[in-house]
Amino acid sequence: MNWYYAQGDERKGPVTEAEFDALVATGTITENSLVWKEGMANWAPLKQVRPAGADGEAAPPGWIRCSATGRYFPPEQIVYIDGKPYSAAAKSSVMQGLLQTGSISGVDLGRDGPPWENRSQLGFFVALWQTIKGVLIEPTITFERMKREGGLGSPMLFSVILGTLGALVALFYQLVFNVNGIIQNFLPAAIRQPTAPESRMNTIVLIVVAILSPFIIILVNCFITAGILHLSLLLCSGVRRPFETTFRTNCYAYGATSVFQLIPFCSTFIVPIWWVVVLCIGMAKTHEISTGKSVFGVLLPVAVCCFALIVFYGVLIAFVVSATQASHH
């Protein structure tokens, strides 16, 4: 979540949540300073925008907000754990959670999105469109704002709706434009599949896949893929949040990139590439890890799958070629 603030007649920013807290702590931003962030209709004084936490008390100048409770405390009562400010009173519970789960629990300050999570206030279609646009165009900001915990239902529904829509549209293009036939032209002749329009079996298979796509998306794209990604991130020490965070990140990335299936001939190439790009950004921001670890964690299973496919097709081609040569003899 990025903030903007005013100093006299000058508008400054954007600054991150942590940088904003530091400016408040040093007195650069006071309770009367005008501030603004995405989602606000107008600029407003800090004391109106961000009172301190659960009890609603005003934020005294120079005080720092505890990352666990959301309340403000004087600097002498603040300790920093993993670079984030916590009140001394919250230190013991934070450290206990860190030892038990390997991650720091608490309030995700500034994380109130994406818009899909607030569709009851924004409206279904507005929230859907804003989330798609945010993930595809501004993934850094979107995943910095994403709630890392909050249930599996909302992100899974987002993924199923857009994934199923994309699958149905892709089926339509497949039947009307014979997209698969165009793709098959790039494969070796020995392993091409029949692509004639009269091939009823292909059509039946495609229709069955489309009908079952919601269940396939839930099982494969939501749970299995998220599980593989979480395991891959574990291998590179990139997991700082529970499986739920990885699940939610993957669902929003997959759902948003599925809209590219609405464009003819694009789904085969653009969807997986953009999905990987968005995932790399998303995992880095939601797990708060380096870009390098995120890229490694995302690309490792992709590389393994590509290698397996290369080996499979290599073996298949070799088998077909040897069988063909044997038949000639």
Side-chain angles (χ1 to χ4, degrees):
M1 173 72 68
N2 290 322
W3 287 86
Y4 296 80
Y5 64 98
Q7 279 189 328
D9 296 328
E10 185 179 0
R11 299 292 188 265
K12 294 190 175 183
V15 296
T16 65
E17 191 80 17
E19 292 170 336
F20 190 86
D21 283 338
L23 292 169
V24 173
T26 59
T28 302
I29 298 176
T30 68
E31 63 178 354
N32 294 315
S33 297
L34 293 176
V35 298
W36 182 87
K37 65 177 179 178
E38 185 179 358
M40 293 175 54
N42 298 296
W43 290 69
L46 175 64
K47 61 184 178 182
Q48 294 181 11
V49 174
R50 207 174 78 169
D55 296 335
E57 72 272 18
W63 284 30
I64 301 173
R65 184 167 53 171
C66 171
S67 298
T69 64
R71 297 181 58 185
Y72 285 93
F73 295 86
E76 60 270 18
Q77 296 183 21
I78 290 292
V79 294
Y80 286 85
I81 304 174
D82 198 24
K84 294 184 179 181
Y86 295 90
S87 67
K91 178 182 177 180
S92 60
S93 61
V94 170
M95 292 303 298
Q96 182 179 0
L98 179 61
L99 292 173
Q100 291 177 348
T101 66
S103 63
I104 298 176
S105 59
V107 178
D108 270 342
L109 299 178
R111 290 185 176 271
D112 56 357
W116 178 252
E117 303 273 332
N118 303 303
R119 59 189 178 277
S120 59
Q121 292 81 29
L122 297 173
F124 180 90
F125 292 104
V126 171
L128 187 70
W129 167 245
Q130 288 184 359
T131 302
I132 295 171
K133 183 174 68 173
V135 171
L136 297 181
I137 300 176
E138 297 180 323
T140 299
I141 296 175
T142 300
F143 287 108
E144 282 179 344
R145 293 185 55 183
M146 190 196 83
K147 295 177 182 177
R148 290 178 286 199
E149 298 179 17
L152 307 182
S154 285
M156 186 165 62
L157 179 63
F158 178 84
S159 182
V160 169
I161 289 174
L162 294 177
T164 301
L165 176 63
L168 292 175
V169 173
L171 170 64
F172 173 78
Y173 292 146
Q174 178 77 22
L175 298 177
V176 174
F177 300 113
N178 194 23
V179 176
N180 187 56
I182 297 174
I183 296 173
Q184 290 291 322
N185 289 331
F186 292 95
L187 298 177
I191 61 172
R192 287 179 190 168
Q193 299 175 357
T195 56
E198 63 269 20
S199 178
R200 294 183 180 180
M201 183 58 67
N202 281 356
T203 301
I204 293 174
V205 169
L206 289 172
I207 293 175
V208 171
V209 169
I211 294 174
L212 296 178
S213 59
F215 306 100
I216 297 174
I217 290 169
I218 292 174
L219 177 62
V220 178
N221 294 94
C222 292
F223 284 97
I224 295 179
T225 301
I228 294 173
L229 287 169
H230 200 71
L231 177 60
S232 181
L233 288 170
L234 277 172
L235 294 176
C236 65
S237 302
V239 170
R240 300 184 62 184
R241 292 283 168 173
F243 170 75
E244 181 180 350
T245 299
T246 304
F247 180 93
R248 292 169 64 83
T249 303
N250 176 60
C251 282
Y252 283 120
Y254 170 77
T257 53
S258 293
V259 300
F260 284 120
Q261 295 186 89
L262 304 181
I263 306 173
F265 311 108
C266 287
S267 62
T268 303
F269 305 103
I270 293 182
V271 171
I273 293 173
W274 205 252
W275 172 72
V276 168
V277 171
V278 170
L279 266 184
C280 290
I281 297 172
M283 294 302 178
K285 296 305 177 182
T286 55
H287 280 279
E288 295 183 332
I289 57 177
S290 67
T291 302
K293 285 185 177 181
S294 177
V295 171
F296 179 85
V298 171
L299 291 185
L300 178 60
V302 174
V304 171
C305 290
C306 289
F307 178 76
L309 284 174
I310 291 173
V311 171
F312 171 77
Y313 279 114
V315 172
L316 181 61
I317 292 172
F319 174 78
V320 172
V321 170
S322 63
T324 303
Q325 292 175 346
S327 64
H328 289 315
H329 292 297

